[in-house]
Amino acid sequence: MKTRLYIIMLWCLTLLLAACDDTKIPTRSRAFIDQYFPESSVVIVEMEEDDKGMNEYEVWLNDGTKIDFDLQGEWKTVARKKTGVPLTLIPQQLITFVNTNYPNNVITKFSRKDYGYKLELSDDMDLRFNKQYQFIEEVD
């Protein structure tokens, strides 16, 4: 019984602390979340180091969405496994390419890269595009 009470108290404390976490992220990041994920709320905010050694914010929403932001609050990666990344976030040219060539897939991850954009599909296929939305390559 004490263990169950302890777990419940720990869970409540986590929720209380998580409710305050969204104040840690830049205003630009908060606006992005409000625009593309209006029904969701921030659960966790962590400062992480990206693959280039730069700090970034890693934000988790209550619907399972994970968003990486740079220190200025610009989004870098949006991952949403269950329902896919909101199509309003993805340029129409990329959506058209996926719908034409991979019609049975959902875009589960969308990233901005130095070379352009990277999409991950529900079948774990990665697609790379340049900054002009032209297809570069497919990676298994």
Side-chain angles (χ1 to χ4, degrees):
M1 184 66 174
K2 285 184 179 183
T3 304
R4 180 178 280 173
L5 182 59
Y6 175 74
I7 291 171
I8 291 171
M9 288 175 55
L10 185 60
W11 182 75
C12 290
L13 180 61
T14 302
L15 286 178
L16 179 63
L17 292 174
C20 301
D21 271 347
D22 65 341
T23 61
K24 294 180 185 178
I25 59 176
T27 304
R28 182 179 282 178
S29 300
R30 181 77 253 168
F32 177 87
I33 293 167
D34 290 344
Q35 178 179 355
Y36 292 103
F37 305 94
E39 303 296 319
S40 303
S41 59
V42 174
V43 177
I44 299 172
V45 176
E46 295 179 344
M47 186 69 77
E48 295 278 323
E49 193 172 282
D50 69 9
D51 54 353
K52 296 178 184 175
M54 303 294 291
N55 284 333
E56 67 181 12
Y57 293 98
E58 186 174 273
V59 177
W60 290 87
L61 305 181
N62 65 340
D63 64 1
T65 301
K66 178 183 167 253
I67 309 169
D68 294 333
F69 294 99
D70 64 20
L71 291 179
Q72 290 73 42
E74 288 290 327
W75 71 273
K76 295 171 64 176
T77 301
V78 176
R80 196 179 207 190
K81 296 288 183 188
K82 292 182 182 178
T83 58
V85 175
L87 295 180
T88 54
L89 177 61
I90 302 168
Q92 186 59 48
Q93 298 93 319
L94 303 183
I95 295 169
T96 300
F97 183 89
V98 170
N99 288 342
T100 302
N101 297 289
Y102 303 89
N104 299 320
N105 280 275
V106 173
I107 300 168
T108 58
K109 190 172 183 180
F110 181 44
S111 303
R112 288 197 285 200
K113 300 291 187 180
D114 291 336
Y115 58 81
Y117 302 94
K118 178 179 167 187
L119 300 176
E120 185 174 308
L121 305 179
S122 50
D123 67 355
D124 290 328
M125 182 71 62
D126 288 350
L127 306 176
R128 295 184 181 152
F129 298 85
N130 65 21
K131 292 180 181 179
Q132 292 75 39
Y133 313 120
Q134 296 167 327
F135 179 69
I136 298 173
E137 67 180 334
E138 174 185 292
V139 181
D140 276 333

Coordinates of all heavy atoms in Angstrom, one line a residue, residues 28-76:
R28 N 9.2 31.7 -29.2 CA 9.0 31.2 -30.6 C 8.6 29.8 -30.6 O 7.8 29.3 -31.3 CB 10.3 31.5 -31.3 CG 10.2 31.1 -32.8 CD 11.5 31.3 -33.5 NE 11.5 32.8 -33.8 CZ 12.5 33.4 -34.4 NH1 13.6 32.7 -34.8 NH2 12.5 34.6 -34.7
S29 N 9.2 29.0 -29.7 CA 8.9 27.5 -29.6 C 7.5 27.4 -29.1 O 6.7 26.5 -29.6 CB 9.9 26.8 -28.7 OG 11.2 26.9 -29.1
R30 N 7.1 28.1 -28.1 CA 5.8 28.0 -27.5 C 4.7 28.4 -28.6 O 3.7 27.7 -28.7 CB 5.7 29.0 -26.4 CG 4.3 29.1 -25.7 CD 4.2 27.9 -24.8 NE 3.2 27.0 -25.4 CZ 3.0 25.7 -25.0 NH1 3.6 25.2 -24.0 NH2 2.1 25.0 -25.6
A31 N 5.0 29.4 -29.4 CA 4.1 29.8 -30.5 C 4.0 28.7 -31.5 O 2.9 28.4 -32.0 CB 4.6 31.1 -31.2
F32 N 5.1 28.0 -31.8 CA 5.1 26.9 -32.8 C 4.2 25.8 -32.3 O 3.3 25.2 -33.0 CB 6.5 26.4 -33.0 CG 6.6 25.2 -33.9 CD1 6.7 25.3 -35.3 CD2 6.6 23.9 -33.4 CE1 6.8 24.2 -36.1 CE2 6.7 22.8 -34.2 CZ 6.8 23.0 -35.5
I33 N 4.3 25.4 -31.0 CA 3.5 24.4 -30.4 C 2.0 24.8 -30.4 O 1.2 24.0 -30.8 CB 4.0 24.1 -29.0 CG1 5.4 23.5 -29.0 CG2 3.0 23.2 -28.2 CD1 6.1 23.4 -27.7
D34 N 1.8 26.0 -30.1 CA 0.4 26.5 -30.1 C -0.3 26.4 -31.4 O -1.4 26.1 -31.6 CB 0.3 27.9 -29.5 CG 0.6 27.9 -28.0 OD1 0.5 26.9 -27.3 OD2 0.8 29.0 -27.5
Q35 N 0.5 26.7 -32.5 CA 0.0 26.8 -33.8 C -0.2 25.4 -34.4 O -1.3 25.1 -35.0 CB 1.0 27.5 -34.8 CG 0.5 27.5 -36.2 CD 1.5 28.2 -37.1 OE1 2.5 28.8 -36.7 NE2 1.2 28.2 -38.4
Y36 N 0.7 24.5 -34.2 CA 0.6 23.1 -34.9 C 0.1 22.0 -34.0 O -0.3 21.0 -34.5 CB 2.0 22.7 -35.4 CG 2.4 23.6 -36.6 CD1 3.3 24.6 -36.4 CD2 1.8 23.4 -37.8 CE1 3.7 25.4 -37.5 CE2 2.2 24.2 -38.9 CZ 3.1 25.2 -38.7 OH 3.5 26.0 -39.8
F37 N 0.1 22.3 -32.7 CA -0.4 21.3 -31.7 C -1.3 21.9 -30.7 O -1.0 21.8 -29.5 CB 0.8 20.6 -31.0 CG 1.8 20.0 -32.0 CD1 2.9 20.7 -32.5 CD2 1.5 18.7 -32.5 CE1 3.7 20.2 -33.4 CE2 2.4 18.2 -33.5 CZ 3.5 18.9 -33.9
P38 N -2.4 22.6 -31.1 CA -3.2 23.4 -30.1 C -3.9 22.5 -29.1 O -4.2 23.0 -28.0 CB -4.2 24.1 -31.0 CG -4.3 23.2 -32.3 CD -2.9 22.6 -32.4
E39 N -4.1 21.2 -29.4 CA -4.8 20.4 -28.4 C -3.8 19.7 -27.4 O -4.3 19.0 -26.5 CB -5.6 19.3 -29.2 CG -6.6 19.8 -30.2 CD -7.7 20.6 -29.5 OE1 -8.2 20.2 -28.5 OE2 -8.0 21.7 -30.1
S40 N -2.6 19.9 -27.6 CA -1.5 19.2 -26.8 C -0.9 20.2 -25.8 O -1.0 21.4 -25.9 CB -0.4 18.7 -27.7 OG -1.0 17.8 -28.7
S41 N -0.3 19.6 -24.8 CA 0.4 20.3 -23.8 C 1.8 19.8 -23.6 O 2.1 18.6 -23.8 CB -0.4 20.4 -22.5 OG -0.6 19.1 -22.0
V42 N 2.7 20.6 -23.1 CA 4.1 20.3 -22.9 C 4.1 19.4 -21.6 O 3.6 19.8 -20.6 CB 5.0 21.5 -22.8 CG1 6.4 21.1 -22.3 CG2 5.0 22.3 -24.1
V43 N 4.8 18.3 -21.7 CA 5.0 17.4 -20.6 C 6.4 17.5 -20.1 O 6.7 17.5 -18.9 CB 4.6 15.9 -21.0 CG1 4.9 15.0 -19.8 CG2 3.2 15.9 -21.4
I44 N 7.4 17.4 -21.0 CA 8.8 17.4 -20.6 C 9.6 18.4 -21.5 O 9.4 18.4 -22.7 CB 9.4 16.0 -20.7 CG1 8.7 15.0 -19.8 CG2 10.9 16.0 -20.4 CD1 9.1 13.6 -20.1
V45 N 10.5 19.1 -20.9 CA 11.5 20.0 -21.6 C 12.8 19.6 -21.1 O 13.1 19.7 -19.9 CB 11.2 21.5 -21.4 CG1 12.2 22.3 -22.1 CG2 9.8 21.9 -21.9
E46 N 13.7 19.2 -22.0 CA 15.1 18.9 -21.6 C 16.1 19.7 -22.5 O 15.8 19.9 -23.7 CB 15.4 17.4 -21.8 CG 14.6 16.6 -20.8 CD 14.8 15.1 -21.0 OE1 15.4 14.7 -22.0 OE2 14.5 14.3 -20.1
M47 N 17.2 20.0 -22.0 CA 18.3 20.6 -22.8 C 19.1 19.4 -23.2 O 19.6 18.6 -22.3 CB 19.1 21.6 -22.0 CG 20.1 22.3 -22.8 SD 19.5 23.5 -24.0 CE 19.0 24.8 -22.9
E48 N 19.4 19.3 -24.5 CA 20.1 18.2 -25.0 C 21.3 18.7 -25.9 O 21.2 19.9 -26.3 CB 19.3 17.3 -25.9 CG 18.2 16.6 -25.1 CD 18.6 15.3 -24.4 OE1 19.5 14.6 -25.0 OE2 18.1 15.0 -23.3
E49 N 22.2 17.9 -26.2 CA 23.2 18.2 -27.2 C 22.9 17.5 -28.5 O 22.7 16.3 -28.5 CB 24.6 17.8 -26.6 CG 25.7 18.4 -27.4 CD 27.1 18.2 -26.7 OE1 27.4 18.9 -25.7 OE2 27.8 17.3 -27.1
D50 N 22.9 18.2 -29.6 CA 22.6 17.5 -30.9 C 23.8 16.9 -31.4 O 24.9 16.9 -30.8 CB 22.0 18.5 -31.9 CG 22.9 19.6 -32.4 OD1 24.1 19.5 -32.1 OD2 22.5 20.5 -33.1
D51 N 23.7 16.3 -32.6 CA 24.8 15.5 -33.2 C 26.0 16.4 -33.6 O 27.1 15.9 -33.9 CB 24.3 14.7 -34.4 CG 23.6 15.5 -35.4 OD1 23.3 16.7 -35.2 OD2 23.3 14.9 -36.5
K52 N 25.8 17.7 -33.6 CA 26.9 18.6 -33.9 C 27.5 19.2 -32.7 O 28.3 20.2 -32.8 CB 26.4 19.7 -34.8 CG 26.0 19.3 -36.2 CD 25.4 20.4 -37.0 CE 24.9 19.9 -38.3 NZ 24.3 21.0 -39.1
G53 N 27.1 18.8 -31.5 CA 27.6 19.3 -30.3 C 27.0 20.6 -29.8 O 27.4 21.3 -28.9
M54 N 25.9 21.0 -30.5 CA 25.2 22.2 -30.1 C 24.0 21.9 -29.2 O 23.4 20.9 -29.3 CB 24.6 22.9 -31.4 CG 25.6 23.2 -32.5 SD 26.8 24.5 -31.9 CE 25.7 25.9 -31.9
N55 N 23.7 22.8 -28.3 CA 22.6 22.6 -27.4 C 21.3 22.9 -28.1 O 21.2 23.7 -29.0 CB 22.7 23.6 -26.2 CG 23.7 23.1 -25.2 OD1 24.0 21.9 -25.1 ND2 24.3 24.0 -24.4
E56 N 20.3 22.1 -27.7 CA 18.9 22.3 -28.2 C 17.9 21.9 -27.1 O 18.3 21.3 -26.1 CB 18.7 21.4 -29.5 CG 18.8 19.9 -29.2 CD 18.6 19.0 -30.4 OE1 18.7 19.5 -31.5 OE2 18.4 17.8 -30.2
Y57 N 16.7 22.3 -27.3 CA 15.6 21.9 -26.5 C 14.9 20.7 -27.0 O 14.6 20.7 -28.2 CB 14.6 23.0 -26.4 CG 15.0 24.3 -25.7 CD1 15.5 25.4 -26.4 CD2 15.1 24.4 -24.3 CE1 15.9 26.5 -25.8 CE2 15.5 25.5 -23.7 CZ 15.9 26.6 -24.4 OH 16.4 27.7 -23.8
E58 N 14.7 19.7 -26.2 CA 13.9 18.6 -26.6 C 12.6 18.6 -25.8 O 12.6 18.7 -24.6 CB 14.7 17.3 -26.2 CG 14.0 16.0 -26.7 CD 14.9 14.8 -26.5 OE1 15.7 14.5 -27.3 OE2 14.7 14.2 -25.4
V59 N 11.5 18.7 -26.6 CA 10.2 18.9 -25.9 C 9.3 17.8 -26.3 O 9.2 17.4 -27.4 CB 9.5 20.3 -26.4 CG1 8.2 20.4 -25.9 CG2 10.4 21.5 -26.1
W60 N 8.7 17.2 -25.2 CA 7.7 16.1 -25.4 C 6.3 16.7 -25.1 O 6.1 17.3 -24.0 CB 8.0 15.0 -24.5 CG 9.3 14.2 -24.9 CD1 10.6 14.5 -24.5 CD2 9.3 13.1 -25.7 NE1 11.4 13.6 -25.1 CE2 10.7 12.7 -25.8 CE3 8.4 12.3 -26.4 CZ2 11.1 11.6 -26.6 CZ3 8.8 11.2 -27.1 CH2 10.2 10.9 -27.2
L61 N 5.3 16.3 -25.9 CA 4.0 16.7 -25.7 C 3.2 15.5 -25.1 O 3.6 14.4 -25.2 CB 3.3 17.2 -27.0 CG 4.1 18.4 -27.7 CD1 3.3 18.8 -28.9 CD2 4.3 19.6 -26.7
N62 N 2.0 15.8 -24.5 CA 1.2 14.8 -23.9 C 0.6 13.8 -24.9 O 0.2 12.7 -24.5 CB 0.1 15.4 -23.0 CG -0.9 16.1 -23.8 OD1 -0.7 16.6 -25.0 ND2 -2.1 16.3 -23.2
D63 N 0.7 14.1 -26.2 CA 0.2 13.1 -27.2 C 1.3 12.3 -27.8 O 1.1 11.5 -28.8 CB -0.5 13.9 -28.3 CG 0.4 14.8 -29.1 OD1 1.6 14.9 -28.8 OD2 -0.1 15.5 -30.0
G64 N 2.5 12.3 -27.2 CA 3.6 11.5 -27.7 C 4.5 12.2 -28.7 O 5.5 11.7 -29.2
T65 N 4.2 13.4 -29.1 CA 5.0 14.2 -30.1 C 6.3 14.6 -29.4 O 6.3 15.1 -28.3 CB 4.2 15.4 -30.6 OG1 3.0 15.0 -31.2 CG2 5.0 16.2 -31.6
K66 N 7.4 14.5 -30.2 CA 8.7 15.0 -29.7 C 9.1 16.1 -30.7 O 9.1 15.8 -31.9 CB 9.7 13.9 -29.7 CG 11.1 14.3 -29.3 CD 12.0 13.1 -29.3 CE 13.4 13.6 -29.2 NZ 14.2 13.5 -30.4
I67 N 9.5 17.2 -30.2 CA 10.0 18.3 -31.0 C 11.4 18.8 -30.5 O 11.5 19.0 -29.3 CB 9.0 19.5 -31.0 CG1 7.6 19.0 -31.3 CG2 9.5 20.6 -32.0 CD1 6.5 20.1 -31.1
D68 N 12.3 18.9 -31.4 CA 13.6 19.5 -31.1 C 13.6 20.9 -31.6 O 13.3 21.2 -32.8 CB 14.7 18.7 -31.8 CG 14.9 17.3 -31.2 OD1 14.4 17.1 -30.0 OD2 15.3 16.4 -31.9
F69 N 14.1 21.8 -30.8 CA 14.2 23.3 -31.1 C 15.7 23.7 -30.9 O 16.3 23.2 -29.9 CB 13.3 24.1 -30.2 CG 11.9 23.9 -30.4 CD1 11.2 23.1 -29.5 CD2 11.2 24.6 -31.4 CE1 9.8 22.9 -29.6 CE2 9.8 24.4 -31.5 CZ 9.1 23.6 -30.7
D70 N 16.1 24.6 -31.7 CA 17.5 25.2 -31.4 C 17.3 26.2 -30.3 O 16.2 26.5 -29.8 CB 18.1 25.8 -32.6 CG 17.4 27.0 -33.3 OD1 16.6 27.6 -32.6 OD2 17.6 27.3 -34.4
L71 N 18.4 26.8 -29.9 CA 18.3 27.8 -28.7 C 17.5 29.0 -29.0 O 17.1 29.7 -28.1 CB 19.8 28.1 -28.3 CG 20.5 27.0 -27.6 CD1 21.9 27.4 -27.2 CD2 19.8 26.4 -26.4
Q72 N 17.4 29.4 -30.3 CA 16.6 30.5 -30.7 C 15.1 30.2 -30.8 O 14.3 31.1 -31.0 CB 17.1 31.1 -32.0 CG 18.4 31.8 -32.0 CD 19.6 30.7 -31.9 OE1 19.6 29.7 -32.5 NE2 20.5 31.1 -31.0
G73 N 14.8 28.9 -30.6 CA 13.4 28.5 -30.6 C 12.8 28.1 -32.0 O 11.7 27.8 -32.1
E74 N 13.7 27.9 -33.0 CA 13.3 27.4 -34.3 C 13.3 25.9 -34.2 O 14.2 25.2 -33.7 CB 14.4 27.8 -35.3 CG 14.3 29.3 -35.7 CD 13.1 29.6 -36.5 OE1 12.6 28.8 -37.3 OE2 12.6 30.8 -36.3
W75 N 12.2 25.3 -34.8 CA 12.1 23.8 -34.8 C 13.2 23.2 -35.7 O 13.5 23.8 -36.7 CB 10.7 23.4 -35.2 CG 10.4 23.6 -36.6 CD1 9.9 24.7 -37.2 CD2 10.6 22.7 -37.7 NE1 9.7 24.5 -38.6 CE2 10.1 23.3 -38.9 CE3 11.0 21.3 -37.7 CZ2 10.2 22.6 -40.1 CZ3 11.1 20.7 -39.0 CH2 10.7 21.3 -40.1
K76 N 13.6 22.1 -35.3 CA 14.6 21.3 -36.1 C 14.0 20.0 -36.5 O 14.2 19.6 -37.7 CB 15.9 21.0 -35.2 CG 16.6 22.3 -34.9 CD 17.7 22.0 -33.9 CE 18.8 21.1 -34.4 NZ 19.9 21.0 -33.5

